[in-house]
Amino acid sequence: MDALRFIEAKKQGQSLTATEIDELITGFTADRVPRYQMAAFLMAVWFRGMTDDETAALTESMLRSGDELDTSDLGGPSADKHSTGGVGDKVSLLLAPLAAACGLRVPMLSGRGLGHTGGTLDKLEAIPDYRIQLSNEDFLGVVRRTGCAIVGQSGDIAPADGRIYALRDVTGTVDCVPLITASIMSKKLAAGPETIVIDLKCGSGAFMTDLDRARELARLLTSVGRAHGRRMAVVFTDMSQPLGVSVGHASETLEALVAMRPGGRELAPADLVRVTEDLVAAMVRTAGFAPDHDAALVQVRRAWDSGDAWRVLQDWVQAQGGRLDWEADDLGLDVAPVSAEFIASGDGWLEIRDCRAIGLALADLGGARLQVEDTIDHAVGIDWLAATGQKVAAGQPLALLRAPEGEGRDKALRRLAGAVAIHDAANAPVPAILEVLEPK
Ligand code: URA
């Protein structure tokens, strides 16, 4: 196989056939194509792009590089959500039991956080004894029994993506729409759900800061998914400020789980409730369980307020070994006490200018990884208390830091100071939902 020919062709802006792309991906996965040639190819794609057909072929080859789960006998239509990642994004912990309580089956494969974005797996690891690795059989068995399960993605699902992503990460080729599409969809398609809803986060805390590029990504993700016979919808959600209050693994888990209790919908942060409800409603509607968004929302709220979703959540967490004290205020989670406040430096209207910095401040506290191999402290966190467009007064706490005093905490406080601005004139609040790409 002549990898150089494919690199040259892409460098000149030519399109490759599905067979050529498959040769390259299969060759790379089997170590017949060296990393330096794959790196050159990725950079050529970054500059020249790919046609929709090439992107579909790339996705297909990456998908076929590993196992595909059979979700056809879960006792109901299967559905999943993929978030492109952000700060304080604990939605999966609510969404999986809610969707299950609405009658969907939710087999979720999840990842760890890297850099400023948190991963669902890290949040689940804050639950004592929760098992994130299950065999495929046990994983699907939990979904059959309880309606949902969330596990770590094994190396057998789309292994080509793992190898290519590692190269993209060190060659400046992550921010490339066709490569992102193939990466996300190869994993999602391998996990087998019939309905896939994408939570496409946009703003300074997301890797898509620009809504136009996010729309282009959404178009490609849905066209690849539909070509594979999946029902797809995209909800564009704001990530210019943390979602909910808690940022940090144990505290985010606590915030999500407490919100799922009957009555929790009224008490939980409004943006978290809105994003969760809209995503689950999109799943319900896209799966064909409701004729329109409003009818889907009625089902979601009934599942939430009746306690059905809370019961699914308990069954699911227990089925994966998690030990929680369901009656306790802290559910038995180890959340660090508040040790410092980040206060407003003046009177005026708040703007969160750099949400990414808030995610990185969690890393300063030891609660997020900068390198894949870093270990993290699940107990530390930041409670974010104020939103863009809110009127604040000098000395008012904008955030509470849950971490021991020390250099990390000082660095986090300095970083937070650079993340916000206080204006003399009122600025507009930001909506939690930016737009929705209709389900099909
Ligand atoms: N998430 C993924 O899984 N892959 C990407 O390339 C970017 C975000």
Side-chain angles (χ1 to χ4, degrees):
M1 195 248 317
D2 190 359
L4 179 59
R5 185 167 66 78
F6 301 148
I7 298 167
E8 288 285 0
K10 189 42 72 186
K11 191 177 81 180
Q12 304 299 340
Q14 294 162 19
S15 300
L16 299 180
T17 65
T19 312
E20 288 170 333
I21 290 173
D22 193 49
E23 252 182 75
L24 189 66
I25 299 304
T26 322
F28 179 62
T29 315
D31 283 329
R32 291 194 303 274
V33 173
R35 283 160 56 87
Y36 52 82
Q37 282 192 311
M38 188 48 118
F41 179 76
L42 293 169
M43 189 54 87
V45 171
W46 193 94
F47 277 105
R48 291 298 197 165
M50 277 186 149
T51 64
D52 288 7
D53 285 347
E54 286 180 297
T55 307
L58 178 63
T59 310
E60 184 75 24
S61 300
M62 286 164 61
L63 158 68
R64 301 259 179 258
S65 70
D67 289 351
E68 287 174 63
L69 297 188
D70 178 4
T71 55
S72 58
D73 67 339
L74 293 178
S78 56
D80 196 1
K81 179 236 21 164
H82 177 82
S83 159
T84 55
V87 180
D89 180 7
K90 70 271 300 171
V91 167
S92 293
L93 304 184
L94 295 145
L95 170 139
L98 260 175
C102 291
L104 294 166
R105 309 281 111 181
V106 191
M108 261 197 176
L109 301 180
S110 185
R112 296 191 186 287
L114 186 60
H116 71 287
T117 62
T120 299
L121 225 45
D122 298 315
K123 301 181 216 300
L124 289 167
E125 278 187 320
I127 301 177
D129 295 341
Y130 184 94
R131 283 180 297 139
I132 54 159
Q133 292 302 349
L134 298 181
S135 66
N136 288 348
E137 203 180 312
D138 289 348
F139 168 50
L140 297 176
V142 175
V143 180
R144 253 180 237 114
R145 285 201 307 285
T146 73
C148 63
I150 307 183
V151 295
Q153 184 187 314
S154 81
D156 301 334
I157 297 282
D161 175 59
R163 297 175 66 125
I164 292 172
Y165 194 88
L167 261 189
R168 287 168 59 207
D169 208 24
V170 292
T171 55
T173 50
V174 169
D175 59 337
C176 173
V177 168
L179 298 179
I180 296 170
T181 301
S183 168
I184 292 176
M185 291 309 290
S186 59
K187 289 175 289 197
K188 280 288 135 182
L189 293 170
E194 294 152 51
T195 291
I196 303 172
V197 171
I198 307 287
D199 177 4
L200 224 168
K201 300 214 169 284
C202 223
S204 61
F207 80 96
M208 284 275 150
T209 47
D210 169 60
L211 195 52
D212 281 338
R213 282 196 71 222
R215 288 192 188 110
E216 170 60 8
L217 177 59
R219 189 191 63 75
L220 262 180
L221 290 168
T222 48
S223 94
V224 169
R226 285 170 190 150
H228 281 85
R230 312 303 163 98
R231 297 163 177 240
M232 303 285 304
V234 182
V235 183
F236 297 82
T237 64
D238 173 58
M239 192 29 76
S240 67
Q241 47 196 345
L243 187 62
V245 169
S246 302
V247 179
H249 302 297
S251 60
E252 284 189 49
T253 302
L254 181 60
E255 182 172 51
L257 269 47
V258 164
M260 194 87 287
R261 285 176 167 150
R265 192 167 67 82
E266 305 296 331
L267 303 171
D271 58 341
L272 177 61
V273 172
R274 178 78 209 275
V275 168
T276 304
E277 282 182 346
D278 276 24
L279 285 166
V280 183
M283 290 167 81
V284 166
R285 184 179 168 202
T286 310
F289 277 23
D292 56 37
H293 181 70
D294 288 347
L297 260 190
V298 170
Q299 292 187 35
V300 175
R301 289 181 181 157
R302 194 186 305 128
W304 198 327
D305 298 342
S306 64
D308 287 352
W310 174 238
R311 281 184 286 279
V312 172
L313 184 147
Q314 292 178 315
D315 290 348
W316 145 53
V317 169
Q318 279 159 198
Q320 288 195 231
R323 266 188 314 106
L324 288 172
D325 181 352
W326 298 104
E327 304 304 321
D329 287 347
D330 66 358
L331 294 171
L333 289 162
D334 180 17
V335 178
V338 172
S339 67
E341 292 180 343
F342 166 59
I343 55 168
S345 56
D347 297 333
W349 282 266
L350 183 71
E351 182 197 5
I352 299 170
R353 304 172 81 144
D354 185 2
C355 181
R356 184 170 181 271
I358 301 173
L360 292 175
L362 180 67
D364 295 334
L365 301 179
R369 316 187 168 75
L370 295 179
Q371 313 283 336
V372 178
E373 56 280 3
D374 288 349
T375 52
I376 53 168
D377 183 344
H378 292 89
V380 297
I382 299 167
D383 293 358
W384 193 263
L385 305 177
T388 289
Q390 187 175 322
K391 193 155 193 268
V392 297
Q396 173 182 337
L398 301 179
L400 308 175
L401 274 62
R402 298 179 176 276
E405 72 182 76
E407 222 175 277
R409 199 187 65 177
D410 296 343
K411 192 171 172 197
L413 282 166
R414 284 195 301 276
R415 206 191 281 274
L416 293 181
V420 300
I422 296 176
H423 300 288
D424 293 336
N427 54 340
V430 189
I433 305 291
L434 303 175
E435 62 186 50
V436 177
L437 199 68
E438 283 301 301
K440 255 198 257 163

